[in-house]
Amino acid sequence: MHHSFSGSKGRVFLFLQGPHGPFFNALGRMLRASGAQTWRVGFNAGDRAFWSEKASYIPFRDTIEQWPDALVDLIVGKGVTDIVLYGDTRPVHARAAEIAKSRGVMVHVFEEGYLRPWWVTYERGGSNGNSRLMSLDIDQMQHALEASASKAPPPPSHWGDMRQHIFYGALYHWFVLFLNGRYRNFKRHRELPVSREFMLYFKRLILMPFHRVQRSWATARVRSGGFPYHLALLQLGHDSSVQAHSDFSCMSEFLETVIKGFAQGAPKHHRLVVKEHPLENHREPLRRRVRQLAKEYGIQGRVHYVPGGKLAKLLDEANSTVTINSTAGQQVLWRDIPLRIFGKSVYDKPEFVSQQSIAAFFANPSAPDGDAYRSYRQFLLETSQIPGGFYSRRGRRQLLRRMVDMMLQIHDPYQSVLKSNEAITPQLRIVE
């Protein structure tokens, strides 16, 4: 990768909301060490708790309607050159990204890794359905990679920092729940009351051992059953990838589409395995809904429900997989398993995601082009996927080693690789 630094001199980074826990704080500290200036806008007591430098913390206590004007004042008043945020669809971030772009301020977007679990995503301008990847095709990627011959490692099957992820989630909601008095106008981008969200996180921490036993049992039943099966991967219903980048408003709607399609298309001796998201906190009664739908479409006895947990064991022997737009789709494609999706996603490329109707897919799923997928994956690993994680200390250390250098470069991660290939179409050039 080419390193062309624009340096930190005169750079002023404004941090908005980050992943739960200490990552943004550590990143801010390192940017200050590089000579840049940082500010942090906090929208609640959880944001405040995880930013250690009091002098650069700016509480926002007004209503969301007042946010755009307040942000413009901050950009002008502090001479902001860069805005840093986690996830670009929550309302305060979506508006911030629009305003920043219109004023020539660079937007740095962090997101969970497109290639989980050992990577996080760093892009500029937007992520997921707003990512620059949406407009790049496989040919362009293969072209850009011709200069590089390194091979991508396979994804490890376990997720590095799930316990820490849940712990920081609980801690963050505890601060919001008990210390939020001074942020009266704070409205969450999720619809549940904070107290309920905190209890759901707390319950998950307590019940982790019990869920592990339940999960092993359900997984063992599927794997020892000796029947061909198809996997449906659930996501978090409130997640922005579902709300902003799909036509479904909750998992129940997705389940209805899948179970109906399975009943119509799948051979009679095939089974459907519905796998819950590892962070599912049961705001929707999903297991009950699966039972009802299986009965309604006359396939009870052929649908299995597996709570949370690791995916690899179930994936290895699956005939096919369906999901809305989960990042787990990448693990599916890595194993050359047929995949059908129902939302906007950075990996939605005709070379490796099935375009069949759902019933036809379950009847006879079309296989992905493995070579095309490997090129795509290699392109991601050389551009926007940074080794490390937000939640464990080891993961953060690994991230920070590379992160500040990338943020200070002139070109975004994709441009650095594409630039080396001047045959790339003109609309991919960033105006300096």
Side-chain angles (χ1 to χ4, degrees):
M1 201 181 281
H2 317 275
H3 290 287
S4 48
F5 281 100
S6 63
S8 56
K9 201 168 159 39
R11 299 282 284 273
V12 180
F13 288 84
L14 180 68
F15 283 74
L16 302 184
Q17 288 191 294
H20 294 153
F23 173 66
F24 263 18
N25 191 48
L27 182 61
R29 195 180 300 134
M30 199 170 276
L31 277 164
R32 289 193 293 279
S34 81
Q37 220 188 330
T38 63
W39 297 93
R40 168 79 196 253
V41 179
F43 297 85
N44 59 53
D47 294 343
R48 173 70 196 89
F50 288 115
W51 187 260
S52 61
E53 205 201 33
K54 287 195 174 64
S56 60
Y57 179 79
I58 304 163
F60 177 77
R61 299 195 177 106
D62 296 330
T63 62
I64 184 111
E65 290 71 35
Q66 292 160 292
W67 167 236
D69 290 345
L71 179 63
V72 171
D73 290 348
L74 273 176
I75 291 173
V76 175
K78 307 280 186 204
V80 172
T81 57
D82 299 76
I83 281 182
V84 189
L85 44 85
Y86 169 69
D88 62 346
T89 52
R90 57 182 82 178
V92 293
H93 286 175
R95 287 294 290 124
E98 278 169 32
I99 291 165
K101 284 173 195 166
S102 72
R103 305 187 75 92
V105 170
M106 191 175 283
V107 182
H108 303 264
V109 185
F110 286 92
E111 204 27 286
E112 300 293 344
Y114 293 147
L115 302 177
R116 285 183 198 175
W118 293 111
W119 293 273
V120 308
T121 299
Y122 165 69
E123 295 177 289
R124 294 194 190 161
S127 66
N128 293 315
N130 303 324
S131 166
R132 196 133 164 229
L133 285 171
M134 301 297 288
S135 61
L136 285 175
D137 60 44
I138 300 297
D139 277 356
Q140 289 171 306
M141 294 178 189
Q142 281 172 333
H143 240 52
L145 285 174
E146 271 159 14
S148 113
S150 56
K151 260 282 169 254
S157 61
H158 57 287
W159 206 341
D161 40 19
M162 181 58 72
R163 249 200 330 275
Q164 293 95 321
H165 191 155
I166 296 168
F167 169 74
Y168 283 127
L171 189 58
Y172 181 89
H173 287 97
W174 184 89
F175 283 120
V176 176
L177 188 57
F178 295 110
L179 303 174
N180 221 37
R182 300 171 66 190
Y183 297 86
R184 286 202 185 22
N185 295 307
F186 173 62
K187 290 256 196 315
R188 301 173 69 253
H189 62 287
R190 299 184 176 169
E191 72 296 341
L192 273 196
V194 180
S195 54
R196 176 103 201 281
E197 188 94 54
F198 170 70
M199 281 316 292
L200 289 168
Y201 270 103
F202 187 66
K203 212 166 93 179
R204 286 186 48 102
L205 273 176
I206 300 298
L207 293 177
M208 268 179 118
F210 168 72
H211 285 153
R212 201 172 294 127
V213 172
Q214 220 186 11
R215 191 162 59 234
S216 314
W217 191 71
T219 306
R221 270 188 60 202
V222 171
R223 294 183 70 204
S224 62
F227 41 74
Y229 62 87
H230 304 258
L231 208 48
L233 302 181
L234 299 185
Q235 289 164 247
L236 299 175
H238 59 262
D239 203 63
S240 62
S241 52
V242 174
Q243 296 298 330
H245 300 304
S246 89
D247 295 333
F248 298 114
S249 65
C250 62
M251 282 303 109
S252 299
E253 294 174 9
F254 170 63
L255 281 168
E256 172 131 33
T257 302
V258 170
I259 289 173
K260 182 181 175 187
F262 182 81
Q264 289 170 344
K268 294 266 183 283
H269 59 294
H270 285 209
R271 306 271 180 107
L272 178 67
V273 176
V274 176
K275 185 183 171 303
E276 192 179 271
H277 187 278
L279 286 172
E280 178 55 58
N281 53 22
H282 308 112
R283 354 167 139 208
E284 286 180 80
L286 294 173
R287 188 192 287 267
R288 194 176 352 145
R289 188 76 191 112
V290 166
R291 247 197 320 258
Q292 289 167 347
L293 286 164
K295 202 166 164 196
E296 196 179 316
Y297 289 103
I299 53 169
Q300 62 270 57
R302 288 175 60 201
V303 183
H304 299 250
Y305 190 87
V306 177
K310 294 165 194 170
L311 182 56
K313 284 187 179 131
L314 284 171
L315 249 189
D316 289 339
E317 292 165 3
N319 274 30
S320 78
T321 303
V322 294
T323 183
I324 296 178
N325 52 10
S326 166
T327 52
Q330 305 266 8
Q331 290 188 48
V332 178
L333 293 167
W334 175 256
R335 289 169 169 78
D336 289 328
I337 295 168
L339 176 67
R340 170 82 165 77
I341 68 171
F342 292 84
K344 277 168 77 178
S345 165
V346 292
Y347 57 77
D348 185 9
K349 308 290 180 195
E351 288 85 350
F352 39 78
V353 171
S354 167
Q355 313 294 306
Q356 297 162 286
S357 78
I358 181 69
F361 178 78
F362 280 128
N364 186 18
S366 59
D369 173 344
D371 289 342
Y373 177 67
R374 278 179 272 285
S375 298
Y376 167 85
R377 184 187 166 81
Q378 184 66 30
F379 182 79
L380 258 61
L381 286 171
E382 291 194 17
T383 52
S384 60
Q385 302 307 291
I386 318 304
F390 297 128
Y391 307 104
S392 68
R393 193 173 287 139
R394 210 176 71 209
R396 284 194 300 276
R397 271 204 308 262
Q398 201 181 359
L399 263 187
L400 289 165
R401 279 190 197 111
R402 291 183 54 190
M403 217 47 258
V404 171
D405 287 354
M406 288 184 76
M407 291 172 79
L408 294 176
Q409 276 173 48
I410 296 170
H411 296 293
D412 81 7
Y414 302 122
Q415 193 72 7
S416 303
V417 172
L418 292 165
K419 234 177 91 278
S420 61
N421 190 314
E422 289 310 338
I424 296 298
T425 47
Q427 81 263 18
L428 291 172
R429 295 222 175 86
I430 288 182
V431 182
E432 304 296 2

